Amino acid sequence: SRIECSDCAGTPAYPSCCDQPVRANWLFGQSSVYDGDHGSGQVDGGAEEYVRDVCQQYEPWLSQGYCEDDIYQTLCPRTCEVPCATCSDWMDNAPSAACKVAQMLGVVARSGECDLATVCGTLVAAVGCDAVVQGVCRNECGSRRLAANA
């Protein structure tokens, strides 16, 4: 069953419970530039066009394993059916997903403990606020946001 805490239209009660298509497009290597129903730009010179409903279109892959991943849960919580109580905790930061991003980028060691209290500050200091970091470290990235829920 889909999460019912927000309809993700207008001003949702828990915006962190809505899929984040701009950020998910960036993660999937597609344009993160939204302009109407299509991407108006490309990332890394060869990205595919922006897909407005990327989480829903990739749902077969998400439901077959990707939704077990902290990063995908954070970027596509509605599609991954993340409980409202969990995603509402992500209003500021999603530290487990931030740890995974930091480990993937080599900002923190892949083995051992990741400090959940400081990972976002460390991650932002090391790599800045790209689309995915903005999604997992909302508090640290502040006003440097992509168009939300485009």
Side-chain angles (χ1 to χ4, degrees):
S1 66
R2 297 273 181 224
I3 59 173
E4 300 297 329
C5 60
S6 170
D7 63 8
C8 297
T11 306
Y14 298 102
S16 56
C17 293
C18 297
D19 290 344
Q20 299 180 54
V22 171
R23 293 175 177 94
N25 268 282
W26 191 93
L27 184 65
F28 285 121
Q30 296 167 176
S31 176
S32 60
V33 179
Y34 174 74
D35 180 22
D37 288 329
H38 302 286
S40 61
Q42 294 192 348
V43 287
D44 298 330
E48 298 293 322
E49 282 193 359
Y50 180 92
V51 178
R52 185 180 179 104
D53 58 350
V54 65
C55 291
Q56 293 83 13
Q57 282 196 20
Y58 288 172
E59 190 274 335
W61 293 282
L62 292 169
S63 64
Q64 296 298 317
Y66 282 13
C67 279
E68 300 300 314
D69 181 89
D70 293 331
I71 299 169
Y72 291 102
Q73 286 179 10
T74 305
L75 299 180
C76 296
R78 187 174 182 96
T79 299
C80 289
E81 299 181 4
V82 174
C84 294
T86 301
C87 63
S88 65
D89 287 342
W90 300 335
M91 290 296 286
D92 292 325
N93 292 322
S96 345
C99 278
K100 191 162 222 175
V101 171
Q103 290 168 340
M104 290 170 61
L105 296 175
V107 173
V108 299
R110 285 185 182 253
S111 58
E113 294 292 316
C114 178
D115 186 346
L116 296 176
T118 62
V119 66
C120 278
T122 303
L123 183 59
V124 170
V127 300
C129 288
D130 67 20
V132 173
V133 174
Q134 288 178 28
V136 299
C137 295
R138 292 181 181 103
N139 192 45
E140 270 70 4
C141 290
S143 63
R144 295 172 277 182
R145 299 172 191 243
L146 295 173
N149 301 315

